[in-house]
Structure formats: structure tokens, C-alpha cells
């Protein structure tokens, strides 16, 4: 499942994608089941791919595909790892007839060659640019709020998209140099602890939960855990797993694709509407006291409506609320159940 932006009405719809050698097919999900015929196709011959794509500030995990007829497709992934995996596979399909280019792609991904004329001062100056620089946001870490920060993965994306680096490894090395030269500094527990690593390559974290800020920024403004609203505190846990799943609604009993985020300390499972722009959960619940189990695929279990695809599992909260969820495969269902169980 990936959210895709429409061409006529520029809204976002979640579609099921299948990558073939020369095309990317996408299918509509209706009533909890993938339709047999594709809703559309993206022809990869002559396609160009942009990743990371930073054209939408509130959607940092985009892949942009431009066809040879100059049609733009924007696909959103659930995590940086998923985005990079899709981008690598799509790029491989685009260049399938050119094995030398595929070899070069893998070489660039795994090698490092710093530009000889690189200027850290120039990079920092560009980072400060009000229109094209790194986006500064408020972030929460261990119950503390930090103003004007950016995440490690956001800086890596920015360095690559501005051609300061051609691979994530290069970008991490550049970011580490910026930190060593006191242009940026870590804030929060994760990024601060990483600086104590004896391995230079692990001092800067290419991670969406590691926070950094400009060294010249004013001292961090924090608030104690007691001052943080409960909804913020339950969203402050460490992300254990995230991904797209299909969920049955409580009232209308219809099936919708939702982005699920599993957190620990505190243990919560939240779900988001990936077609919305605000990136706020539309629901969620504490996992303490919950029961989670797989449902048999032969027949429709009691409580489940519609001709569903299968790979179902159920979560029952301590308040006896039943959640019916579909994974995309049996293996993914097992992964989710095994991730949730220790947190209940």
C-alpha cells in the first residue's frame, strides 16, 4: 500500500502497488479486497525518479516519478527504509535493460567519495535559507519539547536533494563533519547518546527520531512531562513498527487503509488516515491488557463484514473493544502480532 496523489483532483488515495519489469501497476481496494483489474499503470520506460523528494513539506517520505510524457506521480512511503527500498527497486526496473547503470546505482549506494571542493560554510548558509533551507520544526523527545529542530533523516534527505551528497552514507559523513565543526548540535536523548560512540560513522544518526539543531540557536525551550498534554505523551514513545494495514470501521463496518504506528514506553497503537494532510492520528489505544490473535482465513469470522482478502488479525482492548485488521500477507500478519504481543 502506498498513497498516490491524483492527477485531476490533487488529493491522495491509497492504492496497492505491484512493480513489474517495465511498469508499476496500482489497484483500488474495495470492501477490504483488491480489485482484479488495475486502476492505472505507470510506464517506466524513459521514467526519471526523484528520491528523496521534498516538494511537500508535510510529506517527507515521497518518491516522484516523471514519465517520458512529463506526467508526475507522487508516491508516499511509511518509513525511510521503505521509501529507499521502493526507490532502489523502481530504479532497477527503469534501467533493467542497462545492467551497467544498475551496477553503478548499487556502487553509489554503498560507496563514499566526498567532493573535493566541499565547503561546510556554504552548506550551512544554504541550510539557513528561508525558502530552500532545512525546515525547522517543534519536536518532542522523552516528554521534552524542542523548538527549531530537524531530524537526522531530514538533514540526510536535504543534503542529497541539494546535491551535496549522492548517497545516504555520504550525507551522514557530511552531517558528522557539520557536528564536529560545531555548526549543528544534538538535542534529546538519542542523538546526544550517539555522539559518545567510539565509531565516527555512528556519531550522527540517519533517523527520524534523532533531533538536531543549529549550534547558534538559542538554548532549548523544554517543558516537563507534567506540562505535556496526555495525547502528546502517548505519542512520545519509541516507534517499534509502522506500516499500512486495512482496518474495519467501528460504525459503518467498511474497510479503509490506515497507516499504523506501534510505540513502546508508553505502549500504544495509533492509526492515521494517509490521505489527510495534518498527520494526526484518527484513532488509537493503549496496548496494556490487550489480546491479539490471528484469525483463520477460511470463511469470514464473526464480527467481520465484507468479502475480505484475508490475513486477518484481531485486537481486543481491556475495555472489550474489538479491532479487525488485515495485513498484506501472512508473513506481515505474523510480524505485527509478534511486535504487539510483548507490549500488552
Amino acid at each position: 500500500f502506498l498513497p498516490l496523489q491524483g492527477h485531476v483532483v490533487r488529493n491522495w488515495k491509497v492504492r496497492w502497488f505491484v512493480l513489474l519489469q517495465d511498469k508499476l501497476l496500482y489497484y483500488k481496494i474495495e470492501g477490504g479486497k483488491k480489485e482484479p483489474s488495475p486502476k492505472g499503470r505507470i510506464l517506466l520506460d524513459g521514467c526519471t525518479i526523484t528520491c528523496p523528494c521534498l516538494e511537500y513539506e508535510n510529506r517527507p517520505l515521497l518518491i516522484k516519478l516523471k514519465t517520458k510524457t512529463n506526467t508526475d506521480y507522487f508516491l508516499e512511503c511509511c518509513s525511510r527504509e521503505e521509501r529507499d527500498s521502493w526507490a532502489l527497486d523502481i530504479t532497477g526496473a527503469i534501467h533493467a535493460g542497462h545492467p551497467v547503470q544498475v551496477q553503478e546505482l548499487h556502487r553509489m549506494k554503498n560507496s563514499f567519495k566526498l567532493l573535493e571542493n566541499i565547503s561546510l560554510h556554504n552548506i550551512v548558509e544554504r541550510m539557513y535559507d528561508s525558502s530552500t533551507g532545512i525546515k525547522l520544526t517543534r519536536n518532542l523527545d522523552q516528554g521534552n519539547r524542542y523548538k527549531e529542530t530537524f531530524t537526522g533523516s531530514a538533514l540526510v534527505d536535504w543534503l542529497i536533494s541539494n546535491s551535496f551528497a549522492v548517497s545516504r552514507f555520504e550525507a551522514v559523513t557530511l552531517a558528522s563533519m557539520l557536528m564536529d565543526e560545531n555548526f549543528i548540535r544534538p538535542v534529546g536523548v538519542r542523538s546526544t547518546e550517539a555522539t559518545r560512540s567510539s565509531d565516527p560513522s555512528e556519531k550522527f544518526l540517519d533517523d527520524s527520531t534523532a533531533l538536531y539543531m543549529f549550534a547558534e540557536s538559542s538554548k532549548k525551550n523544554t517543558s516537563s512531562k507534567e506540562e505535556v498534554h496526555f495525547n502528546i505523551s502517548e505519542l512520545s514513545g519509541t516507534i517499534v513498527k509502522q506500516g499500512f494495514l486495512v482496518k474495519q470501521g467501528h460504525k459503518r463496518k467498511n474497510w479503509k487503509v490506515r497507516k499504523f504506528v506501534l510505540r513502546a514506553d508508553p505502549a500504544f497503537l495509533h492509526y492515521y488516515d494517509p490521505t489527510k494532510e495534518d498527520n494526526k492520528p484518527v484513532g488509537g489505544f493503549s496496548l496494556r491488557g490487550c489480546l491479539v490473535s490471528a484469525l483463520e482465513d477460511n470463511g469470514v469470522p464473526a464480527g467481520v463484514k465484507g468479502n475480505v482478502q484475508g490475513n486477518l488479525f484481531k485486537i481486543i482492548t481491556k475495555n472489550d473493544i474489538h479491532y479487525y485488521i488485515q495485513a498484506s500477507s501472512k508473513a506481515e500478519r505474523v510480524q505485527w502480532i509478534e511486535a504487539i504481543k510483548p507490549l500488552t
Side-chain angles (χ1 to χ4, degrees):
F1 294 112
L2 296 173
L4 170 72
Q5 189 184 58
H7 296 300
V8 181
V9 180
R10 307 296 282 180
N11 57 354
W12 295 85
K13 298 288 186 183
V14 181
R15 297 291 182 247
W16 176 260
F17 280 83
V18 177
L19 177 62
L20 303 179
Q21 186 173 354
D22 60 345
K23 63 178 76 73
L24 190 59
L25 305 178
Y26 53 94
Y27 297 78
K28 189 177 179 181
I29 300 295
E30 195 65 48
K33 194 171 184 178
K34 176 176 72 70
E35 292 190 341
S37 300
K39 179 79 175 174
R41 67 194 69 217
I42 303 171
L43 299 178
L44 298 178
D45 179 41
C47 232
T48 58
I49 182 169
T50 303
C51 178
C53 172
L54 305 181
E55 293 191 24
Y56 291 86
E57 183 179 342
N58 58 341
R59 292 182 181 268
L61 298 173
L62 287 179
I63 296 170
K64 178 182 178 181
L65 295 175
K66 181 184 281 291
T67 67
K68 65 179 180 182
T69 58
N70 288 324
T71 303
D72 290 340
Y73 292 88
F74 292 92
L75 287 67
E76 185 179 30
C77 296
C78 206
S79 65
R80 179 179 56 78
E81 292 79 12
E82 183 186 50
R83 179 197 63 188
D84 292 350
S85 176
W86 269 103
L88 190 65
D89 289 341
I90 292 171
T91 306
I94 291 173
H95 299 304
H98 308 278
V100 174
Q101 288 179 289
V102 178
Q103 264 186 340
E104 179 67 12
L105 175 74
H106 285 274
R107 189 196 65 77
M108 287 173 57
K109 180 176 180 286
N110 298 309
S111 67
F112 170 65
K113 182 181 178 183
L114 191 63
L115 297 175
E116 293 178 3
N117 60 346
I118 200 74
S119 166
L120 296 182
H121 288 276
N122 179 39
I123 292 175
V124 174
E125 188 176 328
R126 291 273 299 276
M127 286 174 67
Y128 271 110
D129 190 285
S130 58
S131 58
T132 61
I134 188 85
K135 303 299 181 185
L136 302 178
T137 59
R138 292 171 181 252
N139 280 288
L140 186 74
D141 182 88
Q142 299 287 315
N144 293 322
R145 286 175 178 163
Y146 298 93
K147 294 180 179 178
E148 297 187 328
T149 61
F150 47 87
T151 67
S153 58
L155 178 54
V156 169
D157 287 348
W158 185 88
L159 288 168
I160 295 173
S161 67
N162 284 273
S163 302
F164 289 114
V166 297
S167 69
R168 303 198 77 82
F169 183 72
E170 282 191 20
V172 167
T173 304
L174 266 181
S176 300
M177 293 168 64
L178 290 171
M179 196 162 57
D180 289 341
E181 296 298 321
N182 202 34
F183 288 112
I184 64 173
R185 65 183 179 88
V187 291
V189 175
R190 284 212 67 203
S191 54
T192 303
E193 286 182 349
T195 60
R196 303 189 185 102
S197 172
S198 58
D199 187 344
S201 66
E202 296 178 0
K203 290 183 181 295
F204 180 88
L205 299 178
D206 179 7
D207 192 289
S208 60
T209 62
L211 302 181
Y212 300 87
M213 69 191 310
F214 289 114
E216 295 180 359
S217 298
S218 57
K219 290 184 179 180
K220 63 187 180 185
N221 296 310
T222 65
S223 59
S224 67
K225 288 185 179 180
E226 288 72 28
E227 295 172 342
V228 178
H229 193 270
F230 174 74
N231 284 343
I232 296 177
S233 69
E234 73 179 50
L235 292 169
S236 66
T238 302
I239 295 177
V240 175
K241 186 174 177 61
Q242 55 186 329
F244 295 109
L245 299 167
V246 191
K247 173 186 168 294
Q248 181 177 267
H250 289 302
K251 294 180 180 178
R252 296 179 60 191
K253 304 297 181 185
N254 55 348
W255 292 87
K256 297 287 185 183
V257 178
R258 294 290 181 249
K259 175 184 173 181
F260 279 79
V261 178
L262 176 63
R263 293 181 174 91
D265 301 319
F268 274 83
L269 184 63
H270 292 96
Y271 48 95
Y272 301 71
D273 185 344
T275 67
K276 303 297 184 186
E277 299 291 343
D278 55 14
N279 198 33
K280 294 178 180 177
V282 293
F285 50 91
S286 170
L287 289 171
R288 295 302 178 195
C290 283
L291 297 173
V292 57
S293 60
L295 297 175
E296 295 298 329
D297 288 340
N298 39 336
V300 180
V304 174
K305 303 293 182 182
N307 185 21
V308 297
Q309 194 88 14
N311 306 312
L312 285 160
F313 64 99
K314 177 170 68 172
I315 301 175
I316 306 175
T317 70
K318 63 180 180 181
N319 298 324
D320 200 34
I321 299 174
H322 293 227
Y323 290 86
Y324 295 96
I325 302 168
Q326 286 188 75
S328 61
S329 66
K330 284 184 170 62
E332 187 184 45
R333 176 173 66 179
V334 169
Q335 291 168 10
W336 273 99
I337 291 174
E338 288 182 348
I340 291 170
K341 271 186 177 178
L343 302 177
T344 59

